[in-house]
Amino acid sequence: MSASREKKTRQELAASGIPDIKDIRAAEDRKKQRRSNWLYGSIAIIFVVVAAALLIWNSNVIQRKATAMTVDGEKYSAAEVSYFYRSAYNALTNSQYASYIGLDPKKPLDQQTLNDTAKMMLGITSQEEMTFQQYLMDSTKKSLVELTVMLRNAEAEGFTFTEEMQADVDATMKSVDEAAKSNGMSRGAYLKALFGPNMTTGTFEKVLKDSVLATHYMQNHQESLTYSDEQIDAYYQEHKAQFDVAAYDYIYFKGTAPATTDADGKSVPPTEEENKAAADKAQAAAEEAMARFKNGESLETIAKDYDIASYSSQTDAANYGDTMSTWLFDDARQSGDSEILESNGSRYLMLFHSRGRSDYNTVNVRHILCKVDTTGLDKNAEDYESKLTALKDEQKAKADQVLQEWKDAGATEEAFAALAEKYSDDGGSNTNGGLYTQVSKGRMVPEFNDWIFDANRQVGDSDILFVEASNYTGYHVMYFSGYDLPYWKLQVKDAMSKEDFTQWHDELVKDVTASENSGIKYVG
């Protein structure tokens, strides 16, 4: 990626809410094991020992059990370390921004350095050169330090493994089995594909249980933090720009030239001269549009007359710190203000309406998912559609039956919760009565979101919705539980608790380090 292209990419990402690393760098200050083989007896015995050793080596027993890292005296095997290393790697490669990171999986990770765009997305502010291998090892060490510290603190405070935690483990193992099945693999083979050849089901379950316990311990601490209305309001007043949203209209005038195609069919980026001409055209169009707006025409009407323009209206835009946000969230901004802004060559004709906090109430809702599981269906088979229809019909009938059973049980919230734990296929809520609390707009899939935020929604309302979205495809039996905190107050409370949690967390782990041992060579 060229330097200019990389800079533009960072600007585009920054406009999407990811801070540019160049803007925040200034804020950052951030036993070998020896093995001896003792040979006794005759040559025949030596051959037997060697043969046995080869069998053990080929089974990866030695590699996966070798100590790879030590954290404050706690030893971790290569297989355990691989869990965290591969988790970091999988998160990196499966990120929605993976295409910007520049990682080539075909090249050794220790021969590839992170560019500024990658650092920006990963929140790395150090100016020192870093390879992907170093990044993954650093991430692994941080995960192991956190795990070790949190498990020890949980034990000291009597925070133990519960049935709820076991349900989380069971749900994860179920997901693993479903994914393995869909890939035509056994559970063991699938785990090795994800976490490396040293991984076993036993090791995975052990680390998973420890991770679940540590996570619940940290969540329990954060959820225990409480704040008065006075504290929440004071924090909001101090950080208004972080929580306020803006309402505005704008016309976007494209100020960059399109790429062309050469004789070989390859894409040719526009020249500087072509981009300058496009930017000049955008500026001229924006100025002309501004004059028309001042004469009483609406932005929506004006935009229709320009082939390089598009109109948009926003009612709850957050502050991303970009060019538009800087103008919108200026304390001097008044309703009716208009201006032409430039960003990356393009122009924006802005019309400001208002700024304030999101006062709508979040909601609490229960649901029972009757999942349409297509794992066993072949999409290329001639009978795919008929089998899919049969599955949908089956789950619709189940949803109808569940809803009727709820009504027959008195149509109370308690009865609904009991049925959710009995019937729901949603692993995220079927252990707590199907309940989701403090749900904000846009958090759920569209059909779900539209139902719970219907202006006429009343406590106790119920319905059946069909949703088609990844793991939640199926029929959702709904129960509207009620309204909760205003969204702005929830945002502020969350920000305060995250700030305090981070301080608590960092204080616990600040003096703890992870050291590499000889088994580290088996990690990767």
Side-chain angles (χ1 to χ4, degrees):
M1 182 182 293
S2 68
S4 60
R5 175 56 188 160
E6 185 182 331
K7 179 180 179 182
K8 183 178 180 183
T9 297
R10 292 199 306 272
Q11 291 172 335
E12 291 172 347
L13 291 170
S16 300
I18 300 176
D20 192 326
I21 201 69
K22 293 185 181 295
D23 293 335
I24 60 174
R25 269 183 176 151
E28 171 85 356
D29 262 346
R30 280 179 91 161
K31 314 180 227 112
K32 288 187 179 181
Q33 290 184 335
R34 296 181 178 271
R35 298 178 185 274
S36 298
N37 292 321
W38 298 92
L39 304 179
Y40 301 97
S42 65
I43 296 296
I45 295 177
I46 292 174
F47 277 124
V48 172
V49 172
V50 172
L54 286 174
L55 287 173
I56 294 172
W57 184 264
N58 289 335
S59 69
N60 286 326
V61 171
I62 293 177
Q63 295 98 311
R64 67 170 171 261
K65 289 188 176 181
T67 301
M69 282 190 184
T70 302
V71 180
D72 200 24
E74 190 76 28
K75 294 181 179 180
Y76 291 94
S77 69
E80 292 169 325
V81 175
S82 291
Y83 173 95
F84 295 99
Y85 179 91
R86 287 296 189 99
S87 293
Y89 178 82
N90 292 334
L92 192 68
T93 55
N94 292 319
S95 163
Q96 61 177 319
Y97 299 112
S99 60
Y100 294 106
I101 290 175
L103 173 63
D104 185 349
K106 296 180 181 179
K107 294 181 180 179
L109 296 176
D110 59 2
Q111 295 178 19
Q112 301 181 66
T113 58
L114 280 71
N115 57 33
D116 278 342
T117 302
K119 286 185 176 182
M120 172 182 167
M121 290 185 294
L122 298 172
I124 300 171
T125 57
S126 172
Q127 297 189 51
E128 295 182 6
E129 185 175 280
M130 175 182 286
T131 66
F132 280 101
Q133 178 68 5
Q134 289 172 315
Y135 166 75
L136 292 173
M137 278 299 174
D138 284 351
S139 296
T140 301
K141 289 177 180 178
K142 289 177 182 177
S143 295
L144 282 170
V145 165
E146 179 180 85
L147 180 70
T148 304
V149 170
M150 296 308 162
L151 288 178
R152 287 183 178 177
N153 275 269
E155 182 178 13
E157 295 177 19
F159 190 87
T160 57
F161 199 81
T162 64
E163 291 183 2
E164 180 185 0
M165 297 178 200
Q166 185 60 50
D168 288 346
V169 172
D170 292 342
T172 299
M173 296 308 299
K174 181 180 178 182
S175 296
V176 168
D177 289 340
E178 289 174 350
K181 182 180 178 181
S182 66
N183 283 279
M185 305 168 73
S186 66
R187 174 194 285 181
Y190 182 71
L191 290 175
K192 289 181 187 297
L194 279 182
F195 300 104
N198 296 324
M199 185 55 64
T200 66
T201 296
T203 299
F204 178 78
E205 286 188 291
K206 176 185 180 299
V207 180
L208 178 61
K209 289 186 70 172
D210 286 345
S211 298
V212 167
L213 175 58
T215 298
H216 275 260
Y217 172 69
M218 289 187 287
Q219 287 177 338
N220 182 71
H221 176 80
Q222 186 167 357
E223 290 170 0
S224 70
L225 300 172
T226 58
Y227 307 94
S228 67
D229 287 342
E230 290 76 13
Q231 289 174 309
I232 292 173
D233 189 63
Y235 191 93
Y236 164 75
Q237 294 297 336
E238 187 179 350
H239 304 85
K240 290 181 70 172
Q242 180 180 341
F243 303 107
D244 280 354
V245 293
Y248 67 100
D249 294 354
Y250 71 94
I251 303 177
Y252 164 73
F253 295 91
K254 185 177 181 180
T256 55
T260 57
T261 304
D262 63 18
D264 297 324
K266 295 181 179 179
S267 178
V268 178
T271 64
E272 289 186 12
E273 292 77 11
E274 290 172 331
N275 275 334
K276 184 179 184 306
D280 290 343
K281 181 179 178 181
Q283 178 66 28
E287 290 175 356
E288 183 178 83
M290 176 66 85
R292 292 175 59 180
F293 170 69
K294 295 292 187 182
N295 285 329
E297 293 186 67
S298 71
L299 296 188
E300 186 172 12
T301 298
I302 295 169
K304 295 176 182 178
D305 293 337
Y306 297 89
D307 59 358
I308 62 170
S310 60
Y311 166 81
S312 184
S313 178
Q314 303 290 327
T315 57
D316 55 357
N319 186 349
Y320 294 117
D322 58 3
T323 300
M324 295 171 69
S325 294
T326 300
W327 184 81
L328 289 167
F329 290 90
D330 188 314
D331 288 338
R333 193 63 50 232
Q334 298 291 321
S335 179
D337 284 355
S338 60
E339 193 163 333
I340 296 173
L341 305 180
E342 185 275 333
S343 179
N344 296 327
S346 297
R347 302 296 190 273
Y348 296 82
L349 173 48
M350 308 286 293
L351 173 60
F352 178 79
H353 295 305
S354 64
R355 167 187 168 181
R357 58 195 190 189
S358 297
D359 285 317
Y360 76 87
N361 288 91
T362 57
V363 302
N364 301 327
V365 61
R366 294 182 187 271
H367 84 129
I368 299 170
L369 171 61
C370 299
K371 185 176 181 179
V372 176
D373 186 359
T374 60
T375 304
L377 299 187
D378 180 2
K379 289 187 176 182
N380 298 316
E382 292 183 359
D383 60 354
Y384 172 75
E385 290 297 335
S386 61
K387 287 186 175 180
L388 178 60
T389 299
L391 274 177
K392 289 182 177 179
D393 291 344
E394 177 185 339
Q395 294 307 308
K396 178 61 167 65
K398 176 183 174 182
D400 289 335
Q401 176 259 317
V402 169
L403 184 61
Q404 188 58 52
E405 188 173 338
W406 170 66
K407 291 178 179 178
D408 293 341
T412 64
E413 184 167 359
E414 292 74 16
F416 193 96
L419 291 175
E421 296 188 8
K422 180 179 180 180
Y423 291 117
S424 183
D425 296 320
D426 176 21
S429 68
N430 60 8
T431 58
N432 69 336
L435 181 63
Y436 283 99
T437 61
Q438 298 180 333
V439 180
S440 56
K441 291 181 179 179
R443 175 179 162 188
M444 299 299 192
V445 294
E447 298 88 347
F448 203 113
N449 180 84
D450 292 347
W451 189 84
I452 61 178
F453 285 105
D454 186 301
N456 298 316
R457 189 61 55 226
Q458 299 290 321
V459 175
D461 283 356
S462 62
D463 205 346
I464 295 176
L465 308 177
F466 178 73
V467 172
E468 192 161 5
S470 185
N471 292 330
Y472 296 94
T473 294
Y475 292 89
H476 296 248
V477 185
M478 309 291 294
Y479 178 88
F480 190 77
S481 183
Y483 293 95
D484 211 304
L485 290 177
Y487 183 51
W488 75 268
K489 186 172 285 189
L490 177 63
Q491 286 181 299
V492 174
K493 182 172 175 285
D494 284 349
M496 293 174 73
S497 67
K498 286 176 182 177
E499 191 174 288
D500 290 342
F501 170 83
T502 299
Q503 184 177 351
W504 169 81
H505 173 280
D506 292 351
E507 185 66 25
L508 288 178
V509 304
K510 69 176 184 179
D511 296 324
V512 183
T513 58
S515 59
E516 297 180 11
N517 300 103
S518 60
I520 197 69
K521 59 179 172 286
Y522 305 130
V523 175

